[in-house]
Amino acid sequence: MAIADNEESEDRRGQVNPAMFADENTNLTPAAKQAYCKDHQILIPDVDSKSFSFRKLWAFTGPGFLMSIAYLDPGNIQSDLKSGSVAMYKLLWVLLSATILGLLMQRLAARLGVVTGLHLAEMCYRQYRKVPRILVWLMVEVAIIGSDMQEVIGTAIALNLLTNNFITLPVGVLITAVDTFTFLLLDKYGLRKLELLFGFLITVMALSFGYEYIVVAPNQVSVLEGMFIPWCQDCDKAALDQAVGIIGAVLMPHNLYLHSALVKSRQIDRKKPEKVKEANRYFLIEAAIALFVSFVINVAVVSVFAAGLHDKTNQQVHNVCVANGNSMADVFPQDNELVDADLYKGGVFLGCQFGIAAMYIWTIGILAAGQSSTMTGCYSGQFAMEGFLNLQWARWKRVLLTRTVAILPTFFVAYFSQINDMNVMNDYLNTIMALQLPFALIPVIAFTSSKSIMGEFVNGPFTIIGSLLVAAVVIGINIFYLVQLVLERFAGLWYVYTAVGILGIFYIVLCLYLFLHMMASLGICSSFSNSSFVDKYICSSATSNFILTNQSNYSR
């Protein structure tokens, strides 16, 4: 296709067609056929770009709040309540730090989509060789399916509590499998209405968990101290485990892929650098507001269970339930072990301690969290498939595939075991998803730090160094935590050690490939970047010549 034709089509649609940048080896599906952008884009009002405009902020508002749903899914909520019950308010600073680091990485993902017109998975398709690209896609799919399983668990537990055990956990799992397809119907009503629905679900969560915060009335001074004093005095190993769990629950790999694609829903004239800068600025403001809201909700959950369940034994809570005539008292065994908090026990405790209304309102919040994260999970899967594989499926087929993979193991656990096993599965899933972080963090840092990709919008040296340090610390913590987990839970089982060792070698080799590709993209060492080894084994044919036509007029 001729460049003139591409420019003409760009003027008609107000966006760059990604196909114009692809060669015969990296042909990408045109944006008009892609998920989320296929119907129309949101127009940005033409007002003075030099001053702040609430009209423009409203036009850009949507992608950040959809992205923030991942910070409020059932896995995060469970991590919050366990953090509060184990360490009280002492880990709130970890939650604050993880949210700030999340904003930093989400900003990079959004900038990639705004500047290039391609989302992160599409860029991986161009930049990585076939075998490592498919392996990275599989790792991202593992993260998406893991998140999907948490949403299924959370929604099934919410339905069980909401109906006072009338809907059993296995039935709740099946209902969750079916109700996902309602998302496909909602999607037909238009992009803006769908974004408003997400806003409504976030509002439901804010009201539900905010109500619990007001009823429980935690110590405000202790909340502020825990939030801004980075220390955990007298914390035991359980508290340290929860600190790692917070990082794993908040920073989700597939969320970077999601955010980089969601920003493509706004019409941005990429021929004009001032318009790109404007879009980056407003998307950053919107993401900051959205993550602030999610942070407040997470703080409310941590604080509620810090004030209510910390140092409480099963016998104590059982007695409270019996005294208040709650039929679910047997959820807490009559022993002197500390309560092992989870979504289910947390809801029952609130009902026993603060009245049945508290339990139902908590359940409504969990249900909203599960449903909203289910919808964004569908989008993440769609973007990953169309980007990494350049493959277009009907959305119902995509939903059926991922939901089936997520439903089957969850259903069997729900059917053949107890609620405690589902919550243990939830904790393992947080660990598994945390291990997939390199397959999102390294690519987004590499691409946004490449001059040939980003032009004048390339990351500065402080951003590059800061993001690399963040990635190194987060990845290092998660790997250390996994090793500790295996040594503790599977002590002496040689076959488990062998399997983990084999998978570990594969994991390290794939991470090494991404790291070497990043070094080549950054061009820090010219002798390495220009070596025959890099050209033959690391970079794809599109890596060295990716310069956006619409950027060439203003890149430095």
Side-chain angles (χ1 to χ4, degrees):
M1 185 180 290
I3 294 297
D5 292 336
N6 286 318
E7 292 176 346
E8 181 181 351
S9 65
E10 181 186 44
D11 291 336
R12 287 196 304 267
R13 293 192 303 272
Q15 69 169 22
V16 178
N17 181 355
M20 67 185 287
F21 306 128
D23 58 22
E24 64 274 14
N25 297 318
T26 58
N27 185 38
L28 291 171
T29 305
K33 295 182 180 179
Q34 292 171 354
Y36 197 74
C37 302
K38 64 180 181 181
D39 297 322
H40 64 276
Q41 290 181 309
I42 304 299
L43 296 176
I44 306 302
D46 188 16
V47 297
D48 184 10
S49 61
K50 295 182 180 180
S51 59
F52 179 81
S53 168
F54 281 102
R55 283 184 60 202
K56 283 194 173 182
L57 180 60
W58 175 248
F60 281 107
T61 296
F65 280 90
L66 268 67
M67 168 273 295
S68 71
I69 292 293
Y71 291 71
L72 296 168
D73 72 356
N76 272 281
I77 302 301
Q78 173 146 316
S79 175
D80 291 338
L81 69 88
K82 294 193 76 168
S83 168
S85 64
V86 169
M88 291 194 73
Y89 313 98
K90 297 176 184 177
L91 297 178
L92 283 175
W93 66 272
V94 178
L95 177 62
L96 175 61
S97 301
T99 304
I100 293 173
L101 296 180
L103 177 61
L104 170 65
M105 303 313 299
Q106 298 294 162
R107 169 180 173 267
L108 297 184
R111 281 170 61 87
L112 179 69
V114 169
V115 174
T116 67
L118 301 178
H119 59 69
L120 183 55
E122 290 172 326
M123 193 61 71
C124 289
Y125 183 88
R126 294 190 53 86
Q127 298 294 302
Y128 294 144
R129 292 192 171 273
K130 184 175 182 179
V131 172
R133 168 169 54 86
I134 292 176
L135 293 177
V136 171
W137 168 68
L138 290 174
M139 295 298 100
V140 175
E141 288 293 337
V142 168
I144 293 172
I145 291 170
S147 177
D148 213 21
M149 291 177 71
Q150 288 186 319
E151 293 147 14
V152 172
I153 293 171
T155 304
I157 290 173
L159 290 172
N160 181 262
L161 278 173
L162 196 60
T163 61
N164 197 22
N165 291 323
F166 179 75
I167 296 179
T168 63
L169 290 175
V171 174
V173 169
L174 295 178
I175 291 175
T176 306
V178 174
D179 74 0
T180 305
F181 290 91
T182 59
F183 158 68
L184 302 179
L185 300 176
L186 294 171
D187 189 41
K188 295 182 181 299
Y189 286 98
L191 175 60
R192 208 57 170 154
K193 291 183 177 65
L194 190 62
E195 290 176 347
L196 288 174
L197 173 63
F198 281 101
F200 169 75
L201 292 173
I202 292 174
T203 302
V204 170
M205 284 184 271
L207 293 175
S208 299
F209 302 135
Y211 170 84
E212 309 292 354
Y213 187 89
I214 293 171
V215 169
V216 177
N219 187 300
Q220 304 303 308
V221 174
S222 298
V223 171
L224 292 175
E225 287 178 351
M227 197 180 303
F228 295 109
I229 298 179
W231 190 247
C232 190
Q233 187 175 3
D234 300 325
C235 284
D236 56 13
K237 186 180 182 303
L240 295 178
D241 289 344
Q242 286 308 310
V244 176
I246 289 172
I247 297 173
V250 170
L251 296 172
M252 290 191 168
H254 61 281
N255 213 31
L256 297 177
Y257 289 90
L258 175 69
H259 199 194
S260 67
L262 294 176
V263 297
K264 291 171 60 178
S265 61
R266 269 50 180 179
Q267 191 176 87
I268 302 167
D269 186 357
R270 294 184 178 84
K271 288 183 178 180
K272 299 178 180 179
E274 65 273 13
K275 295 295 184 182
V276 177
K277 291 178 182 177
E278 175 186 79
N280 284 331
R281 181 172 69 253
Y282 280 105
F283 276 131
L284 175 60
I285 294 172
E286 187 236 359
I289 294 172
L291 289 187
F292 174 76
V293 172
S294 72
F295 173 71
V296 170
I297 294 174
N298 283 316
V299 167
V301 177
V302 173
S303 303
V304 163
F305 290 96
L309 268 186
H310 179 67
D311 271 347
K312 293 284 181 65
T313 65
N314 289 314
Q315 183 68 61
Q316 288 174 318
V317 179
H318 180 91
N319 293 341
V320 171
C321 291
V322 171
N324 289 285
N326 193 300
S327 61
M328 298 182 181
D330 290 339
V331 169
F332 301 95
Q334 299 184 57
D335 58 39
N336 291 320
E337 296 291 327
L338 293 177
V339 175
D340 185 13
D342 53 47
L343 295 176
Y344 190 84
K345 290 179 182 177
V348 174
F349 160 74
L350 291 173
C352 293
Q353 186 78 45
F354 303 103
I356 199 66
M359 185 186 80
Y360 286 127
I361 292 173
W362 163 261
T363 303
I364 290 171
I366 298 298
L367 191 60
Q371 290 302 289
S372 57
S373 53
T374 290
M375 296 180 191
T376 54
C378 290
Y379 272 136
S380 298
Q382 190 76 10
F383 294 142
M385 179 169 285
E386 73 180 18
F388 278 104
L389 305 181
N390 194 28
L391 178 63
Q392 288 291 312
W393 273 18
R395 194 167 299 178
W396 70 267
K397 294 180 181 179
R398 166 71 205 184
V399 172
L400 181 62
L401 173 64
T402 56
R403 188 52 36 142
T404 300
V405 174
I407 287 291
L408 287 178
T410 310
F411 175 80
F412 283 119
V413 171
Y415 187 81
F416 292 106
S417 56
Q418 303 296 322
I419 183 69
N420 289 337
D421 297 306
M422 295 186 72
N423 286 298
V424 169
M425 179 190 286
N426 218 341
D427 294 335
Y428 279 123
L429 290 172
N430 275 336
T431 303
I432 291 172
M433 286 187 291
L435 287 173
Q436 312 311 315
L437 274 172
F439 310 114
L441 293 181
I442 296 177
V444 78
I445 294 171
F447 302 153
T448 56
S449 301
S450 172
K451 188 76 175 286
S452 64
I453 292 175
M454 299 293 286
E456 73 172 70
F457 297 101
V458 66
N459 291 334
F462 289 110
T463 300
I464 294 174
I465 294 173
S467 56
L468 285 175
L469 287 175
V470 169
V473 170
V474 171
I475 293 169
I477 288 174
N478 287 324
I479 292 176
F480 174 78
Y481 179 71
L482 175 67
V483 172
Q484 291 293 106
L485 183 67
V486 171
L487 292 176
E488 289 177 5
R489 299 285 178 90
F490 306 101
L493 299 179
W494 64 267
Y495 51 88
V496 175
Y497 292 166
T498 303
V500 171
I502 294 172
L503 292 175
I505 293 173
F506 159 76
Y507 183 89
I508 292 171
V509 169
L510 187 55
C511 288
L512 180 62
Y513 170 84
L514 296 181
F515 178 78
L516 292 176
H517 184 279
M518 179 175 65
M519 291 297 100
S521 299
L522 294 178
I524 295 175
C525 178
S526 58
S527 59
F528 173 73
S529 300
N530 298 324
S531 66
S532 58
F533 171 79
V534 169
D535 185 59
K536 185 175 182 180
Y537 297 108
I538 304 298
C539 295
S540 72
S541 59
T543 300
S544 59
N545 61 8
F546 186 89
I547 299 178
L548 295 184
T549 303
N550 66 321
Q551 282 189 1
S552 60
N553 294 329
Y554 58 85
S555 60
R556 294 175 183 173

